[in-house]
């Protein structure tokens, strides 16, 4: 192994805690770390991630073909691992997520939706018979599926989808059609040239009546030749900001017939004579989307961890400026402004990880309750998964971009892996529900919760603070502690929701319809949802961190508590305007918070490299010239530069073709 950069080594030597202990804590125990390392070792030993020519220099078509090749090799390897170990879903989740998967398929995986949407939808919405027929075939990769909901003309507004599935009782078939150009499915990953089956969300018509959106399994391509089946119009949507290996496609239907039992009928049914049998609840179809949103929060943690690892290591290696004339140039991580940009990113990973774990637990509990016919907590889970999806993706996009900027010009290089990471993260702000719409969905729940509290009803746990805070109109004295800040954030959320409800009621009294009043209040409603989510994040991080640090060594406990304090104080300073408006915080309190924050930056600074090392992201997964473990940033930048095809020859042909004639006046 190459010699480690001296500055980086010194950072590690002066770390105050055991880095391996923190890695085990993050992973959930020694055994989980060992399993992860074994999985990584096996995947990377196969060399699937290696590229003779960096894929950034390939054509669009070549990028896709390489992505398919890698994806096939990857899942072949995972299948072998599953057979050897009889393991659960962990292996699949790891290769589909933001670490191992992104290391091998850096610009998107054309098979992701097969595992993340196609199979889970059949599991969640298919009958026992449908599951028995389809899931085995899908898991063995006898067929490859995707999930088509979004259309050219409609995305988040699912009720507006135009694709139709009309039941023909004489043949016991559904006939699918795209009545307009805007009805074409648009965006599904793997749809263009990879999948041969698809779950299609379409408006169901039977006996002349529309019954809304339902899920249908449609064959897209012949299993042997892969040619599109009759009536299917399918292709690729073109180059995008990122994820160009994902093979996003468009899909149109021209009288495509499918058997009746290709409608997923666990909830709603269409009988042979065309009679429609309603689902016990329209909310039962939420499952797949919520599963994906829960997974997304976890994924964002992985991408943030990558970005801060790259930026913190590079900041320890990079030396710049000379504030003191007689001293050497300092490491840029010694500048407080750099610490301000990066250290909250480390804390964010832990904050979102704890909220993701909490959400995952709630998701599993609510899913079990649903199977038992209990839907009481479903709206709460839906509201929470919507706002956490929005806030986690937005924070992750800002975190990755802040890390890129913190690396100066070199962060702009694709070889830093920060631009590509940004492309993957910012895509998540609009897929699986556009973020503003997600916040407004949560707002609907919060308005109802406020009204329930006003009627004296008991509220579910995540909104119980509304009942407590509605009663006391006067602000209690400001408490400048971590607990006080968390309480302050609940007061902000409660105050904002209360104002929204009052605004809507006032506008209705002035003659506005409820819909118009809602729209006029929607900027404030989105802000109230964000405040609710922020209060939840801070509260869970504070409470769960308190519980979890009890099991670690005293040295590590101090650092983890500092990190939690840093995160909460940082957000208090980010939301000073809200705190001034809704709490009794004073100018003196704010000054103390600022000093406290700066003091925390200085305390966390000596352990910054140790904290990112503990994420334990291998160089092959990080894939960054700036962030490698050995800190040889400059050497690696030059090595990557030499891989450019333009450096293969000293004189490019364009000189003789264009430049020379121009310079000699003969062009």
């Amino acid at each position: 192994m190459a010699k480690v950069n001296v500055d980086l080594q010194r950072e590690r030597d002066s770390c105050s805690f055991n880095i391996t202990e923190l890695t085990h804590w993050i992973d959930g125990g020694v055994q989980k770390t060992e399993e992860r390392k074994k999985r990584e070792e096996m995947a990377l030993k196969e060399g699937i991630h290696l590229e003779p020519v960096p894929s950034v220099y390939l054509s669009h078509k070549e990028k896709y073909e390489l992505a398919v090749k890698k994806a096939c090799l990857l899942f072949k390897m995972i299948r072998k691992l599953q057979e050897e170990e009889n393991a659960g879903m962990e292996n699949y989740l790891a290769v589909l997520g933001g670490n191992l998967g992104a290391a091998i398929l850096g610009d998107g995986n054309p098979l992701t939706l097969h595992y993340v949407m196609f199979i889970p939808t059949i599991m969640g919405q298919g009958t026992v018979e449908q599951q028995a027929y389809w899931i085995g075939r899908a898991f063995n990769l006898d067929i490859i599926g995707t999930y088509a909901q979004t259309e050219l003309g409609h995305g988040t507004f699912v009720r507006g989808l135009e694709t139709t599935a009309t039941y023909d009782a004489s043949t016991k078939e559904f006939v699918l059609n795209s009545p307009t150009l805007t009805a074409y499915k648009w965006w599904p990953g793997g749809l263009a040239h990879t999948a041969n089956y698809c779950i299609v969300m379409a408006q169901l018509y039977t006996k002349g009546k529309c019954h809304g959106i339902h899920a249908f399994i449609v064959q897209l391509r012949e299993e042997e030749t892969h040619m599109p089946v009759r009536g299917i119009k399918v292709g690729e949507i073109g180059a995008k900001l990122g994820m160009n290996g994902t093979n996003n496609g468009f899909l149109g239907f021209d009288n495509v017939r499918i058997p009746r039992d290709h409608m997923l009928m666990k909830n709603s049914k269409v009988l042979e004579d065309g009679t429609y049998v309603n689902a016990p609840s329209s909310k039962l179809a939420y499952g797949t989307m919520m599963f994906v949103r829960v997974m997304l929060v976890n994924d964002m943690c992985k991408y943030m961890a990558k970005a801060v690892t790259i930026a913190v290591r590079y900041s320890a290696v990079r030396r710049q400026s000379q504030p003191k004339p007689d001293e050497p140039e300092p490491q840029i991580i010694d500048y407080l402004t750099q610490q301000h940009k990066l250290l909250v990113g480390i804390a964010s990973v832990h904050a979102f990880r704890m909220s993701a774990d909490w959400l995952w637990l709630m998701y599993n509990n609510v899913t079990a309750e649903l199977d038992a016919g209990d839907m009481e907590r479903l709206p709460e889970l839906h509201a929470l998964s919507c706002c956490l999806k929005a806030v986690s993706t937005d924070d992750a996009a800002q975190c990755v971009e802040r890390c890129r900027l913190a690396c100066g010009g070199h962060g702009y290089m694709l070889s830093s892996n920060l631009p590509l990471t940004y492309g993957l993260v910012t895509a998540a702000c609009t897929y699986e529900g556009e973020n503003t719409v997600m916040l407004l969905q949560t707002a609907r729940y919060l308005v109802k919760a406020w009204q329930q509290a006003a009627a004296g009803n008991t509220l579910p746990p995540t909104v119980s603070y509304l009942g407590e805070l509605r009663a006391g109109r006067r602000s209690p004295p400001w408490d400048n502690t971590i607990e006080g800040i968390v309480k302050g954030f609940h007061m902000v959320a409660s105050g904002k929701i209360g104002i929204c409800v009052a605004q809507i009621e006032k506008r209705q009294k002035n003659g506005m319809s409820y819909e118009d009043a809602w729209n006029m209040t929607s900027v404030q409603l989105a802000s109230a949802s964000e405040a609710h989510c922020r209060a939840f994040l801070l509260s869970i991080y504070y409470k769960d961190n308190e519980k979890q640090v009890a099991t670690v060594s005293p040295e590590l406990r101090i650092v983890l508590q500092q990190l939690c304090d840093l995160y909460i104080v940082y957000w208090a300073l980010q939301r000073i305007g809200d705190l001034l408006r809704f709490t009794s915080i004073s100018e003196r309190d704010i000054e103390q918070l600022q000093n406290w924050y700066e003091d925390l930056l200085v305390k966390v600074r000596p352990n910054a490299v140790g904290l990112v090392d503990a994420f334990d992201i291998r160089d092959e997964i990080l894939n960054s010239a700036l962030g490698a473990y050995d800190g040889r940033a400059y050497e690696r930048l030059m090595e990557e530069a030499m891989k450019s095809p333009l450096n293969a020859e000293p004189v490019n042909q364009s000189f003789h073709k264009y430049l020379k004639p121009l310079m000699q006046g003969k062009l």
Side-chain angles (χ1 to χ4, degrees), residues 9 27 90 99-100 124 147 156 221 223 245 302 311 375 378 390 414 442 457 474-475 483 487 518 521 574 625 654:
Q9 191 55 56
D27 284 340
E90 284 85 359
N99 265 5
L100 194 52
Y147 177 94
T156 308
R221 293 173 177 271
E223 289 192 22
K302 305 273 198 312
M375 273 169 270
L378 187 64
L414 288 184
T442 301
N457 298 325
R474 275 181 60 79
S475 285
E483 296 97 316
K487 181 83 188 283
W518 177 273
T521 317
Q574 290 295 305
S654 61

mmCIF file of all heavy atoms in Angstrom, residues 9 27 90 99-100 124 147 156 221 223 245 302 311 375 378 390 414 442 457 474-475 483 487 518 521 574 625 654:
data_model
loop_
_atom_site.group_PDB
_atom_site.id
_atom_site.type_symbol
_atom_site.label_atom_id
_atom_site.label_comp_id
_atom_site.label_asym_id
_atom_site.label_seq_id
_atom_site.Cartn_x
_atom_site.Cartn_y
_atom_site.Cartn_z
ATOM 1 N N GLN A 9 -2.132 11.125 8.333
ATOM 2 C CA GLN A 9 -1.702 10.167 9.356
ATOM 3 C C GLN A 9 -1.689 10.818 10.735
ATOM 4 O O GLN A 9 -2.097 10.221 11.725
ATOM 5 C CB GLN A 9 -0.305 9.605 9.019
ATOM 6 C CG GLN A 9 0.117 8.417 9.880
ATOM 7 C CD GLN A 9 -0.894 7.278 9.842
ATOM 8 O OE1 GLN A 9 -1.236 6.774 8.778
ATOM 9 N NE2 GLN A 9 -1.402 6.877 11.007
ATOM 10 N N ASP A 27 -22.642 0.363 12.267
ATOM 11 C CA ASP A 27 -23.154 -0.810 11.530
ATOM 12 C C ASP A 27 -24.200 -1.593 12.308
ATOM 13 O O ASP A 27 -24.951 -2.373 11.729
ATOM 14 C CB ASP A 27 -22.000 -1.756 11.165
ATOM 15 C CG ASP A 27 -21.167 -1.240 9.996
ATOM 16 O OD1 ASP A 27 -21.676 -0.394 9.245
ATOM 17 O OD2 ASP A 27 -20.020 -1.682 9.838
ATOM 18 N N GLU A 90 -30.423 -8.593 3.055
ATOM 19 C CA GLU A 90 -29.305 -7.654 3.250
ATOM 20 C C GLU A 90 -28.408 -7.538 2.027
ATOM 21 O O GLU A 90 -27.971 -6.453 1.660
ATOM 22 C CB GLU A 90 -28.440 -8.046 4.465
ATOM 23 C CG GLU A 90 -29.061 -7.719 5.809
ATOM 24 C CD GLU A 90 -29.995 -8.806 6.287
ATOM 25 O OE1 GLU A 90 -30.168 -9.806 5.554
ATOM 26 O OE2 GLU A 90 -30.563 -8.661 7.379
ATOM 27 N N ASN A 99 -23.972 2.558 -1.359
ATOM 28 C CA ASN A 99 -22.543 2.287 -1.175
ATOM 29 C C ASN A 99 -21.997 1.303 -2.198
ATOM 30 O O ASN A 99 -21.431 1.688 -3.204
ATOM 31 C CB ASN A 99 -22.269 1.797 0.253
ATOM 32 C CG ASN A 99 -21.851 2.945 1.157
ATOM 33 O OD1 ASN A 99 -21.865 4.094 0.731
ATOM 34 N ND2 ASN A 99 -21.490 2.655 2.371
ATOM 35 N N LEU A 100 -22.199 0.027 -1.937
ATOM 36 C CA LEU A 100 -21.624 -0.991 -2.814
ATOM 37 C C LEU A 100 -22.187 -0.887 -4.231
ATOM 38 O O LEU A 100 -21.453 -0.949 -5.213
ATOM 39 C CB LEU A 100 -21.905 -2.379 -2.213
ATOM 40 C CG LEU A 100 -21.126 -3.553 -2.793
ATOM 41 C CD1 LEU A 100 -19.639 -3.266 -2.795
ATOM 42 C CD2 LEU A 100 -21.407 -4.814 -1.986
ATOM 43 N N GLY A 124 -46.805 -6.847 -2.210
ATOM 44 C CA GLY A 124 -47.746 -6.024 -1.450
ATOM 45 C C GLY A 124 -49.160 -6.034 -1.997
ATOM 46 O O GLY A 124 -50.124 -5.899 -1.247
ATOM 47 N N TYR A 147 -41.389 -0.755 -13.088
ATOM 48 C CA TYR A 147 -42.637 -0.225 -12.530
ATOM 49 C C TYR A 147 -42.945 1.089 -13.231
ATOM 50 O O TYR A 147 -42.149 2.030 -13.159
ATOM 51 C CB TYR A 147 -42.451 -0.016 -11.023
ATOM 52 C CG TYR A 147 -43.626 0.586 -10.297
ATOM 53 C CD1 TYR A 147 -44.574 -0.223 -9.680
ATOM 54 C CD2 TYR A 147 -43.770 1.969 -10.185
ATOM 55 C CE1 TYR A 147 -45.646 0.321 -8.978
ATOM 56 C CE2 TYR A 147 -44.835 2.530 -9.493
ATOM 57 C CZ TYR A 147 -45.767 1.699 -8.889
ATOM 58 O OH TYR A 147 -46.817 2.246 -8.196
ATOM 59 N N THR A 156 -46.510 13.291 -9.873
ATOM 60 C CA THR A 156 -46.928 13.086 -8.488
ATOM 61 C C THR A 156 -48.449 12.993 -8.348
ATOM 62 O O THR A 156 -48.941 12.324 -7.453
ATOM 63 C CB THR A 156 -46.369 14.238 -7.616
ATOM 64 O OG1 THR A 156 -44.964 14.328 -7.874
ATOM 65 C CG2 THR A 156 -46.564 13.970 -6.143
ATOM 66 N N ARG A 221 -41.833 -7.386 -23.776
ATOM 67 C CA ARG A 221 -40.979 -7.955 -24.821
ATOM 68 C C ARG A 221 -41.082 -9.480 -24.816
ATOM 69 O O ARG A 221 -41.357 -10.081 -23.775
ATOM 70 C CB ARG A 221 -39.509 -7.543 -24.576
ATOM 71 C CG ARG A 221 -39.261 -6.045 -24.755
ATOM 72 C CD ARG A 221 -37.844 -5.656 -24.340
ATOM 73 N NE ARG A 221 -37.581 -4.236 -24.575
ATOM 74 C CZ ARG A 221 -37.111 -3.735 -25.716
ATOM 75 N NH1 ARG A 221 -36.862 -4.542 -26.738
ATOM 76 N NH2 ARG A 221 -36.901 -2.439 -25.848
ATOM 77 N N GLU A 223 -39.970 -13.190 -24.498
ATOM 78 C CA GLU A 223 -38.959 -13.722 -23.571
ATOM 79 C C GLU A 223 -37.720 -14.241 -24.302
ATOM 80 O O GLU A 223 -36.618 -14.177 -23.780
ATOM 81 C CB GLU A 223 -39.570 -14.799 -22.671
ATOM 82 C CG GLU A 223 -40.543 -14.203 -21.654
ATOM 83 C CD GLU A 223 -40.965 -15.185 -20.558
ATOM 84 O OE1 GLU A 223 -40.244 -16.165 -20.316
ATOM 85 O OE2 GLU A 223 -42.033 -14.950 -19.954
ATOM 86 N N GLY A 245 -26.846 5.399 -16.632
ATOM 87 C CA GLY A 245 -26.811 3.946 -16.835
ATOM 88 C C GLY A 245 -28.133 3.292 -16.489
ATOM 89 O O GLY A 245 -28.292 2.074 -16.582
ATOM 90 N N LYS A 302 -25.992 7.311 3.146
ATOM 91 C CA LYS A 302 -24.802 6.734 2.503
ATOM 92 C C LYS A 302 -24.117 7.766 1.601
ATOM 93 O O LYS A 302 -22.900 7.903 1.600
ATOM 94 C CB LYS A 302 -25.196 5.514 1.664
ATOM 95 C CG LYS A 302 -25.949 4.422 2.407
ATOM 96 C CD LYS A 302 -25.016 3.445 3.069
ATOM 97 C CE LYS A 302 -25.642 2.132 3.456
ATOM 98 N NZ LYS A 302 -26.908 2.183 4.158
ATOM 99 N N ALA A 311 -14.550 15.191 1.354
ATOM 100 C CA ALA A 311 -14.227 16.595 1.634
ATOM 101 C C ALA A 311 -13.381 16.755 2.902
ATOM 102 O O ALA A 311 -12.474 17.595 2.942
ATOM 103 C CB ALA A 311 -15.512 17.410 1.745
ATOM 104 N N MET A 375 -55.718 -0.117 10.418
ATOM 105 C CA MET A 375 -55.142 0.946 9.593
ATOM 106 C C MET A 375 -54.949 2.259 10.345
ATOM 107 O O MET A 375 -54.680 3.290 9.745
ATOM 108 C CB MET A 375 -56.028 1.184 8.377
ATOM 109 C CG MET A 375 -55.657 0.271 7.241
ATOM 110 S SD MET A 375 -56.869 0.306 5.942
ATOM 111 C CE MET A 375 -57.973 -0.967 6.441
ATOM 112 N N LEU A 378 -51.575 4.165 9.760
ATOM 113 C CA LEU A 378 -51.133 4.346 8.373
ATOM 114 C C LEU A 378 -51.005 5.819 7.975
ATOM 115 O O LEU A 378 -49.978 6.213 7.407
ATOM 116 C CB LEU A 378 -52.071 3.602 7.412
ATOM 117 C CG LEU A 378 -51.628 3.558 5.946
ATOM 118 C CD1 LEU A 378 -50.323 2.793 5.793
ATOM 119 C CD2 LEU A 378 -52.704 2.910 5.082
ATOM 120 N N ALA A 390 -38.703 14.218 1.720
ATOM 121 C CA ALA A 390 -38.414 15.561 1.187
ATOM 122 C C ALA A 390 -37.207 16.197 1.876
ATOM 123 O O ALA A 390 -36.292 16.697 1.225
ATOM 124 C CB ALA A 390 -39.640 16.458 1.339
ATOM 125 N N LEU A 414 -14.749 15.436 -12.272
ATOM 126 C CA LEU A 414 -15.535 14.211 -12.127
ATOM 127 C C LEU A 414 -14.767 13.165 -11.323
ATOM 128 O O LEU A 414 -15.360 12.352 -10.630
ATOM 129 C CB LEU A 414 -15.907 13.642 -13.503
ATOM 130 C CG LEU A 414 -16.965 14.409 -14.311
ATOM 131 C CD1 LEU A 414 -17.299 13.673 -15.600
ATOM 132 C CD2 LEU A 414 -18.245 14.620 -13.511
ATOM 133 N N THR A 442 -47.887 15.961 3.791
ATOM 134 C CA THR A 442 -47.721 15.946 5.253
ATOM 135 C C THR A 442 -48.578 17.052 5.878
ATOM 136 O O THR A 442 -49.190 16.851 6.930
ATOM 137 C CB THR A 442 -46.233 16.137 5.633
ATOM 138 O OG1 THR A 442 -45.479 15.076 5.033
ATOM 139 C CG2 THR A 442 -46.023 16.110 7.136
ATOM 140 N N ASN A 457 -59.245 15.588 21.074
ATOM 141 C CA ASN A 457 -58.929 14.169 20.841
ATOM 142 C C ASN A 457 -57.458 13.871 21.122
ATOM 143 O O ASN A 457 -56.609 14.754 21.022
ATOM 144 C CB ASN A 457 -59.245 13.783 19.385
ATOM 145 C CG ASN A 457 -60.714 13.948 19.073
ATOM 146 O OD1 ASN A 457 -61.561 13.725 19.924
ATOM 147 N ND2 ASN A 457 -61.023 14.359 17.846
ATOM 148 N N ARG A 474 -49.119 31.359 25.804
ATOM 149 C CA ARG A 474 -47.951 32.178 26.161
ATOM 150 C C ARG A 474 -46.681 31.343 26.053
ATOM 151 O O ARG A 474 -46.641 30.195 26.459
ATOM 152 C CB ARG A 474 -48.080 32.692 27.604
ATOM 153 C CG ARG A 474 -48.891 33.988 27.697
ATOM 154 C CD ARG A 474 -48.950 34.446 29.141
ATOM 155 N NE ARG A 474 -47.619 34.698 29.698
ATOM 156 C CZ ARG A 474 -46.910 35.811 29.466
ATOM 157 N NH1 ARG A 474 -47.400 36.759 28.709
ATOM 158 N NH2 ARG A 474 -45.726 35.972 30.016
ATOM 159 N N SER A 475 -45.624 31.951 25.510
ATOM 160 C CA SER A 475 -44.353 31.237 25.402
ATOM 161 C C SER A 475 -43.706 31.114 26.765
ATOM 162 O O SER A 475 -43.559 32.113 27.475
ATOM 163 C CB SER A 475 -43.396 32.000 24.480
ATOM 164 O OG SER A 475 -43.791 31.830 23.153
ATOM 165 N N GLU A 483 -32.204 20.286 25.230
ATOM 166 C CA GLU A 483 -33.629 19.964 25.422
ATOM 167 C C GLU A 483 -34.492 21.186 25.097
ATOM 168 O O GLU A 483 -35.550 21.065 24.473
ATOM 169 C CB GLU A 483 -33.932 19.536 26.873
ATOM 170 C CG GLU A 483 -33.264 18.263 27.306
ATOM 171 C CD GLU A 483 -31.961 18.538 28.078
ATOM 172 O OE1 GLU A 483 -31.180 19.410 27.617
ATOM 173 O OE2 GLU A 483 -31.733 17.889 29.103
ATOM 174 N N LYS A 487 -37.430 21.524 22.257
ATOM 175 C CA LYS A 487 -38.773 22.018 22.639
ATOM 176 C C LYS A 487 -39.123 23.244 21.782
ATOM 177 O O LYS A 487 -40.253 23.392 21.310
ATOM 178 C CB LYS A 487 -38.744 22.380 24.131
ATOM 179 C CG LYS A 487 -40.062 22.882 24.712
ATOM 180 C CD LYS A 487 -40.972 21.747 25.102
ATOM 181 C CE LYS A 487 -42.358 22.210 25.500
ATOM 182 N NZ LYS A 487 -42.445 22.796 26.833
ATOM 183 N N TRP A 518 -56.423 26.846 0.464
ATOM 184 C CA TRP A 518 -55.268 25.946 0.656
ATOM 185 C C TRP A 518 -54.102 26.396 -0.229
ATOM 186 O O TRP A 518 -52.964 26.513 0.222
ATOM 187 C CB TRP A 518 -55.678 24.501 0.324
ATOM 188 C CG TRP A 518 -54.540 23.520 0.425
ATOM 189 C CD1 TRP A 518 -53.638 23.185 -0.538
ATOM 190 C CD2 TRP A 518 -54.159 22.758 1.588
ATOM 191 N NE1 TRP A 518 -52.726 22.269 -0.070
ATOM 192 C CE2 TRP A 518 -53.021 21.988 1.229
ATOM 193 C CE3 TRP A 518 -54.671 22.648 2.884
ATOM 194 C CZ2 TRP A 518 -52.389 21.117 2.133
ATOM 195 C CZ3 TRP A 518 -54.035 21.779 3.777
ATOM 196 C CH2 TRP A 518 -52.912 21.033 3.405
ATOM 197 N N THR A 521 -52.354 29.430 0.925
ATOM 198 C CA THR A 521 -51.609 29.217 2.182
ATOM 199 C C THR A 521 -50.477 28.201 1.983
ATOM 200 O O THR A 521 -49.755 27.879 2.910
ATOM 201 C CB THR A 521 -52.587 28.726 3.288
ATOM 202 O OG1 THR A 521 -53.788 29.496 3.224
ATOM 203 C CG2 THR A 521 -52.011 28.861 4.691
ATOM 204 N N GLN A 574 -29.642 28.168 12.183
ATOM 205 C CA GLN A 574 -30.211 28.247 10.834
ATOM 206 C C GLN A 574 -31.657 28.750 10.855
ATOM 207 O O GLN A 574 -32.154 29.269 9.860
ATOM 208 C CB GLN A 574 -30.180 26.853 10.171
ATOM 209 C CG GLN A 574 -28.800 26.349 9.808
ATOM 210 C CD GLN A 574 -28.133 27.181 8.735
ATOM 211 O OE1 GLN A 574 -28.675 27.392 7.653
ATOM 212 N NE2 GLN A 574 -26.955 27.698 9.031
ATOM 213 N N ALA A 625 -10.537 10.650 -6.354
ATOM 214 C CA ALA A 625 -9.116 11.023 -6.338
ATOM 215 C C ALA A 625 -8.802 11.881 -5.112
ATOM 216 O O ALA A 625 -7.696 11.841 -4.576
ATOM 217 C CB ALA A 625 -8.771 11.787 -7.611
ATOM 218 N N SER A 654 -7.340 17.512 -34.814
ATOM 219 C CA SER A 654 -8.022 18.795 -35.035
ATOM 220 C C SER A 654 -7.033 19.925 -35.317
ATOM 221 O O SER A 654 -7.395 20.936 -35.913
ATOM 222 C CB SER A 654 -8.881 19.152 -33.823
ATOM 223 O OG SER A 654 -8.067 19.280 -32.684
#
